[in-house]
Amino acid sequence: MTFVSDLDPQPLWKHFDEILKIPRGSKNEEAMRRYVLGVAERKGLGVKRDAKGNFVVSKPASAGREEAQITVLQSHLDMVNEKNADVTHDFERNPIAPRQDGEWVRATGTTLGADNGIGVAAMLAVLEADDLVHSPLELLFTVEEEIGLVGASALDGSIVTGRRLLNLDSEDAAVTIGCAGAGISSLALPLESASPPAGTSAFAVALTGLQGGHSGMEIHLPKGNALKLLARALFAASLERPLHVGTLSGGGKHNAIPREARAVVLARPEEAQAIREALEREAVAIRAEYPAEKDLSLTLQEEPAPERAWTEAAGRRALALIHALPHGVLAMSQDIPGLVETSTNVAAAASKNGHLEILTSSRSSVDSALRATRLRIRAAAELAGAKVEESHGYPGWKPDPNSPLLATFRQVHERLFGEKPEVAAVHAGLECGVIGEKCPGMQMISFGPRIEGAHSPDERVHVPSVARFWHLLKTLLEELASSS
């Protein structure tokens, strides 16, 4: 056990401390599933499963509250596995190493997994507690959320009978009542390769040090996209000096803004200094545009020439496509001030089987705008000669500001904290949209503690906000136990 188990509230933090030891990347949740089911078995609670691996643990109501309406609690088991390039960490074997930074808990060079590990830990604390007052409970644990709400999308709605749901996967003080829908577009650009021309040298170009972050919740922030910026810098430099790109890669997760990108550039040795200067001029311009990216680094270093690399024409098509693809905020909501309505993220690129494979992820709370964004990506891809495959995506969650569940939450929040809660919709995928489709008539809200930097090694959770979240959850469950 670590210091985490001693934090307040201990019933929640002791489970999170255990969770830090358990591998739980998307599609690798079996050990996490066994841990939760072990808690349920020790408490003698029933479990319903579906074919995908989602499951519901049922807990009977407190004495005298048996006739109250069922309350559903929901969190996802998986986390995003991200680490800094200079960190050695095997997410399938090594535990997450937590450290305390003032009022915050964070990991050491990796994601922490507070998203959604704190929500899971809270549900486990509810399962174990004998002193809580609550209605009949269904605790729904889903899988593969971080790779596109896959588990929720395959949910067998018949295992959930309740029709009011508390999703515990929010990351700020607001209560969330709506979210964006999203879809992934995968591009495959065929690129010819050949042996490097005689007399040329190879140079590794790396753009590193960016903050990265969640491609929905943080897409509006002044954060650079390493893939887009490296393609831009190389494209600009190629207009000044004779060079061509032999390979290009970067990013990884569809829901993370790329923090690093790398390329191999082929050029005559005597052009190296001029290319370096051209790239540095572009880096100076980029730093001026992104002053928050204080650790941005663009480097050029000679390396052994590869046996094969993209031809000059192929490398230029790759740069042009990545540079042309849209990225960032495309439209703001006209109904909710400050809410991003539509965005897209150029998430990853890698060479594979003679193609440059590019992954993009688009979001919108307006279905037609999401469709138009994906058409725009397809148009750019077709102009470059790339093939496009589009995932089915998932629906958004339309806000219902007049739901009885939200009204109860407002009352409890104001009674506990002396202030009305902030009510918001988010520009990110929450499982509520999918669950609402699978379980028609479901009332839903989402809330949680304060988590920053989710999906990046900068992820951290605010300890006092976890105590506040736990107090709110317990009190809300008791209040909901009084309603039929």
Side-chain angles (χ1 to χ4, degrees):
M1 307 298 285
T2 73
F3 71 90
V4 170
S5 289
D6 297 325
L7 298 173
D8 179 48
Q10 283 189 310
L12 185 157
W13 283 109
K14 74 168 187 178
H15 283 296
F16 187 67
D17 203 8
E18 290 292 338
I19 288 170
L20 291 173
K21 305 174 188 177
I22 302 173
R24 54 191 182 96
S26 302
K27 297 190 175 184
N28 188 33
E29 301 103 330
E30 183 55 35
M32 190 66 233
R33 185 186 292 109
R34 289 198 302 268
Y35 178 76
V36 175
L37 292 174
V39 174
E41 184 178 359
R42 289 194 298 274
K43 298 297 290 185
L45 303 176
V47 177
K48 291 185 288 185
R49 302 172 174 85
D50 69 12
K52 183 61 181 176
N54 307 299
F55 60 94
V56 171
V57 180
S58 297
K59 184 176 183 181
S62 304
R65 307 301 175 104
E66 294 85 356
E67 299 305 315
Q69 183 180 345
I70 295 171
T71 301
V72 183
L73 279 69
Q74 187 265 321
S75 292
H76 62 85
L77 296 178
D78 57 324
M79 66 174 282
V80 170
N81 291 340
E82 280 284 315
K83 66 181 185 69
N84 289 323
D86 60 348
V87 171
T88 301
H89 186 91
D90 185 342
F91 282 100
E92 295 190 10
R93 293 181 174 83
N94 304 139
I96 302 296
R99 58 188 177 93
Q100 192 153 9
D101 182 9
E103 292 188 334
W104 300 84
V105 171
R106 62 196 315 159
T108 305
T110 71
T111 39
L112 176 65
D115 169 19
N116 187 208
I118 295 292
V120 172
M123 290 169 62
L124 289 167
V126 168
L127 280 180
E128 280 196 326
D130 295 320
D131 58 348
L132 298 184
V133 178
H134 55 79
S135 66
L137 298 179
E138 292 181 339
L139 293 98
L140 170 61
F141 297 89
T142 53
V143 297
E144 299 181 27
E145 188 269 355
E146 298 290 10
I147 54 173
L149 312 187
V150 173
S153 297
L155 175 67
D156 179 351
S158 68
I159 69 173
V160 182
T161 56
R163 283 301 180 267
R164 60 182 185 188
L165 181 141
L166 309 179
N167 170 278
L168 307 183
D169 191 22
S170 284
E171 298 168 4
D172 56 34
V175 55
T176 301
I177 62 169
C179 69
I184 292 172
S185 299
S186 301
L187 285 56
L189 178 66
L191 294 175
E192 306 80 14
S193 63
S195 299
T200 60
S201 295
F203 302 90
V205 182
L207 195 154
T208 59
L210 300 185
Q211 299 174 65
H214 192 287
S215 66
M217 300 296 289
E218 298 181 301
I219 196 69
H220 63 292
L221 298 180
K223 297 187 174 190
N225 178 314
L227 264 173
K228 291 283 294 179
L229 294 178
L230 181 59
R232 161 187 163 176
L234 290 170
F235 194 81
S238 72
L239 299 178
E240 296 186 34
R241 312 302 306 182
L243 65 85
H244 86 261
V245 173
T247 65
L248 178 66
S249 63
K253 305 291 192 303
H254 76 93
N255 51 8
I257 302 168
R259 296 179 294 113
E260 299 178 348
R262 289 174 169 77
V264 171
V265 168
L266 303 174
R268 295 193 302 274
E270 61 269 23
E271 293 288 348
Q273 185 57 34
I275 293 171
R276 191 184 309 274
E277 292 172 357
L279 289 173
E280 183 53 36
R281 284 194 294 274
E282 198 63 28
V284 168
I286 291 169
R287 291 189 189 99
E289 295 170 27
Y290 295 90
E293 297 287 11
K294 301 183 184 301
D295 297 324
L296 184 153
S297 173
L298 183 59
T299 59
L300 178 75
Q301 184 174 353
E302 189 168 4
E303 67 172 29
E307 292 184 5
R308 295 185 69 80
W310 296 334
T311 65
E312 184 172 358
R316 192 163 187 83
R317 283 204 312 279
L319 287 183
L321 176 55
I322 293 176
H323 191 40
L325 285 170
H327 171 82
V329 176
L330 303 182
M332 300 295 292
S333 172
Q334 299 181 49
D335 300 316
I336 302 177
L339 175 67
V340 177
E341 179 188 275
T342 306
S343 76
T344 191
N345 176 41
V346 180
S351 299
K352 187 176 181 181
N353 299 326
H355 292 76
L356 176 64
E357 297 188 352
I358 303 171
L359 183 68
T360 70
S361 176
S362 305
R363 306 175 189 266
S364 184
S365 52
V366 178
D367 288 344
S368 60
L370 176 60
R371 188 165 57 252
T373 300
R374 299 177 84 182
L375 284 173
R376 180 176 171 186
I377 291 168
R378 179 176 287 276
E382 290 186 358
L383 285 172
K387 294 183 178 179
V388 181
E389 291 186 3
E390 295 179 344
S391 71
H392 177 66
Y394 52 83
W397 166 26
K398 185 177 180 180
D400 181 6
N402 300 313
S403 79
L405 179 57
L406 178 60
T408 301
F409 181 92
R410 289 179 190 266
Q411 293 166 7
V412 169
H413 189 283
E414 192 165 1
R415 186 169 75 241
L416 288 180
F417 307 123
E419 60 184 6
K420 295 180 179 179
E422 178 185 352
V423 179
V426 296
H427 188 65
L430 285 175
E431 291 167 294
C432 293
V434 181
I435 293 170
E437 185 178 63
K438 299 286 183 177
C439 306
M442 184 77 81
Q443 292 184 64
M444 299 176 287
I445 59 172
S446 178
F447 63 103
R450 184 179 174 191
I451 298 172
E452 296 182 353
H455 301 181
S456 82
D458 295 325
E459 181 186 8
R460 61 180 190 167
V461 59
H462 188 236
V463 174
S465 76
V466 176
R468 179 183 172 106
F469 160 65
W470 176 241
H471 186 31
L472 178 58
L473 176 60
K474 291 191 300 179
T475 309
L476 181 59
L477 288 175
E478 181 172 359
E479 187 69 24
L480 292 172
S482 302
S483 60
S484 57

